[in-house]
Amino acid sequence: MSSINFLGAASGLPLDELVTSFVNVERQTKFSRIEKNTSTLNASLSGVGKLKSALSSFLDASKKLSSESLKARTVTITQPETGKTFIQATAKNTAAASSFDIKVNQLAKGSRVETVDASFTDSNSVVSTTDGNLTFAAGDKSFTVAVTAGMTLNELRLKINDTADNFGINANILNVGGTTGAKLVLNSSVTGLGNDLVISNDNAELDTLSTIATGTSAGMTLTSGANDAQIEIDGTALNSSTNVFNDVVQDISLTVLNVTPTGNNAKLDIATDKSAAETNIKSFISSFNSLVTQITDLTRNRVLGADGSVTLESGALSGDSLPRNILSQLRSILGSTVPGAADGLNTLYSMGITLNKDGKLEISTSTEFNSETGKNRFDDALNNSYDDIAKLFGGDDGFVSQLNTLISEYTKSGGILSSRQNTLTSQLRENTKASEAASRYIASYEDSLRKRYAALDSLLGQMQRQQASVTAALSSLPKFSSNSSS
């Protein structure tokens, strides 16, 4: 279509306006349906996304009530002195609630060996004129260092420290000087009574650097032996080859870091985490209620006022049975009895949680139907049946498992809602193609109209010119003029 149009210029008729009017009517006819369909599809796609998000949020809130989460224990430690850590502890979810007085008498430590005085003049002294091997062992760990002919004391130190399979031997040199000379000092990180560092060789020339001689006498002495950690729990003495005491109190791991001051012991308290459980259960309730609200908004019907005007538009998924079916299945699960749960705590009702008239969960404080409120039952479960709550929600057939099975079918990749989103997206693409095709049709339609009306405009202009020419010719005839004047 030309960007400059002179329709009507020849005939003087408003042909351009007429073409524009025809084109606008055709465009409105074609695009109103497409635009309405696009709006509906976009709203549905957004609605499915909101439903999927609300379901995922509810499932996330449910998973916080898994068995591991609900059985978690809180560990409280009172240190003997502020600003210094004497003990640390962790507890499995099977640990019993309890309190302990803990005294740390001794930390576990490794052994220390060193060469005797005057064994070496300085760090550059040669340790051996021939090749050999030194083997370092402590407990069930060991490694070997190859000593080459002419190796100095400092070179040996570096090689010990750099050996890849060194299990925790730290080599240092004390340059004392005088008659003492240089001393090689080895500290082992292997703790526990009986785990002293032992050094052996396969070359008698290396006896100076060994605790076990191949020749006549060993040249390294034990200056500090490895020891166990020693503690007292409520007056009972306990030893450990490391600073960690696993299960000396069943299902509790205790780590000691410092010796406690005389007469001032550490305190350890293990308790059920009722506060976290209450918070997570209330979050579960809130998340379900948010899901109910979301589904209600998505599926509501349009509301008309007394005068017939729209006072509230319909929801994005109005008329779609899927959201209500999901909600019905969820309510069926939440209203069921959980297999394997404790007899007195196998339903949400027994936990003090009920559905109100709006279909939402609540911990009721009303005594309208029962002298015992939902809040009474809820508090009683937390205080007296804490571990049974974990069976109700987190057991093999508990609410968390059932909800996860149901909701995942809708929210997982490739699930029901993802498939619905893919279908809507595909329909939107088809709608876009229809819009593009309609645009091409309108352009062609307008071009066709303009060509036809341009031809009409030209014909009418020619006819008008011919009429004017005939009229002029007739008016020039005498009789025609006379008759005209008379």
Side-chain angles (χ1 to χ4, degrees):
M1 182 184 71
S2 172
S3 61
I4 301 177
N5 199 304
F6 297 99
L7 275 182
S11 64
L13 297 175
L15 298 180
D16 191 72
E17 294 178 12
L18 185 62
V19 169
T20 299
S21 178
F22 284 157
V23 170
N24 286 340
V25 170
E26 190 70 11
R27 180 181 286 110
Q28 177 66 24
T29 302
K30 292 288 183 183
F31 280 96
S32 59
R33 178 182 60 81
I34 294 173
E35 290 171 355
K36 182 179 180 181
N37 200 31
T38 298
S39 177
T40 300
L41 289 171
N42 277 324
S44 296
L45 187 60
S46 174
V48 172
K50 290 177 180 178
L51 175 60
K52 188 176 182 180
S53 177
L55 282 169
S56 296
S57 295
F58 177 53
L59 182 57
D60 289 341
S62 301
K63 288 180 178 178
K64 291 181 180 178
L65 299 176
S66 66
S67 180
E68 291 299 315
S69 298
L70 278 178
K71 285 187 175 181
R73 300 306 195 233
T74 58
V75 177
T76 304
I77 298 174
T78 304
Q79 306 290 353
E81 295 178 0
T82 303
K84 187 174 182 179
T85 302
F86 291 82
I87 66 169
Q88 294 175 333
T90 59
K92 297 178 182 178
N93 56 27
T94 49
S98 49
S99 296
F100 301 98
D101 179 272
I102 299 175
K103 179 182 180 182
V104 182
N105 293 321
Q106 177 178 287
L107 297 180
K109 70 184 185 70
S111 56
R112 172 189 172 103
V113 297
E114 59 185 49
T115 54
V116 297
D117 294 350
S119 295
F120 302 98
T121 304
D122 54 42
S123 60
N124 292 319
S125 298
V126 173
V127 298
S128 178
T129 59
T130 56
D131 294 343
N133 294 289
L134 287 172
T135 298
F136 301 83
D140 58 356
K141 300 178 175 60
S142 66
F143 70 96
T144 298
V145 171
V147 179
T148 56
M151 178 180 283
T152 67
L153 188 63
N154 190 49
E155 289 172 338
L156 175 61
R157 176 186 71 88
L158 295 173
K159 192 165 186 178
I160 293 171
N161 291 335
D162 292 341
T163 297
D165 53 356
N166 184 333
F167 55 77
I169 302 300
N170 184 271
N172 286 292
I173 295 175
L174 297 179
N175 292 298
V176 181
T179 57
T180 301
K183 296 173 70 70
L184 179 66
V185 178
L186 302 175
N187 289 286
S188 169
S189 64
V190 179
T191 59
L193 191 65
N195 290 330
D196 293 336
L197 176 60
V198 176
I199 307 169
S200 58
N201 65 72
D202 60 2
N203 179 355
E205 197 174 353
L206 296 174
D207 282 352
T208 307
L209 298 164
S210 306
T211 59
I212 299 177
T214 300
T216 56
S217 62
M220 295 202 82
T221 58
L222 180 70
T223 59
S224 178
N227 281 321
D228 289 346
Q230 297 177 358
I231 64 172
E232 292 177 34
I233 297 181
D234 290 342
T236 300
L238 298 160
N239 284 24
S240 172
S241 61
T242 69
N243 287 319
V244 178
F245 292 78
N246 283 320
D247 289 330
V248 290
V249 177
Q250 188 63 43
D251 296 333
I252 296 174
S253 177
L254 180 69
T255 301
V256 295
L257 302 175
N258 285 289
V259 174
T260 52
T262 301
N264 193 2
N265 301 335
K267 309 293 181 183
L268 172 64
D269 292 295
I270 308 297
T272 54
D273 198 352
K274 296 177 184 177
S275 177
E278 181 176 0
T279 297
N280 288 335
I281 292 171
K282 289 182 177 179
S283 176
F284 168 83
I285 293 172
S286 176
S287 182
F288 176 77
N289 293 343
S290 295
L291 174 62
V292 173
T293 299
Q294 185 69 268
I295 290 178
T296 300
D297 290 343
L298 289 172
T299 58
R300 70 168 180 261
N301 294 319
R302 185 173 60 177
V303 178
L304 300 178
D307 60 354
S309 62
V310 177
T311 58
L312 184 64
E313 288 292 348
S314 59
L317 300 179
S318 175
D320 190 340
S321 62
L322 179 63
R324 294 193 182 278
N325 286 340
I326 293 174
L327 190 55
S328 177
Q329 292 177 77
L330 290 174
R331 284 173 175 155
S332 177
I333 290 174
L334 296 176
S336 66
T337 299
V338 173
D343 290 339
L345 196 63
N346 56 8
T347 65
L348 281 184
Y349 178 83
S350 62
M351 179 73 201
I353 303 170
T354 54
L355 286 169
N356 61 23
K357 59 184 178 61
D358 297 321
K360 295 183 176 181
L361 295 175
E362 68 174 5
I363 301 173
S364 175
T365 57
S366 171
T367 57
E368 182 178 358
F369 302 106
N370 195 325
S371 59
E372 183 185 54
T373 67
K375 184 66 165 60
N376 293 147
R377 296 194 301 277
F378 184 78
D379 291 341
D380 180 65
L382 281 174
N383 293 325
N384 302 313
S385 306
Y386 182 83
D387 286 339
D388 288 337
I389 298 175
K391 296 177 183 178
L392 178 67
F393 287 98
D396 291 340
D397 297 312
F399 288 125
V400 175
S401 176
Q402 294 183 54
L403 292 172
N404 183 57
T405 299
L406 174 65
I407 296 175
S408 293
E409 285 300 312
Y410 290 96
T411 59
K412 69 183 181 181
S413 177
I416 296 172
L417 293 181
S418 291
S419 297
R420 178 72 69 88
Q421 288 175 315
N422 291 338
T423 298
L424 291 170
T425 301
S426 178
Q427 290 174 340
L428 277 169
R429 284 196 295 267
E430 291 301 317
N431 217 50
T432 300
K433 291 179 181 178
S435 178
E436 293 169 349
S439 295
R440 291 192 296 271
Y441 166 76
I442 293 299
S444 174
Y445 175 70
E446 182 175 1
D447 185 58
S448 175
L449 281 180
R450 288 190 177 279
K451 287 178 179 178
R452 291 205 301 269
Y453 279 96
L456 176 62
D457 188 36
S458 176
L459 178 60
L460 290 174
Q462 182 181 359
M463 291 175 66
Q464 287 172 349
R465 289 192 298 273
Q466 288 176 346
Q467 181 186 15
S469 177
V470 169
T471 300
L474 289 173
S475 65
S476 66
L477 294 175
K479 185 177 179 179
F480 184 82
S481 301
S482 174
N483 291 336
S484 298
S485 60
S486 64

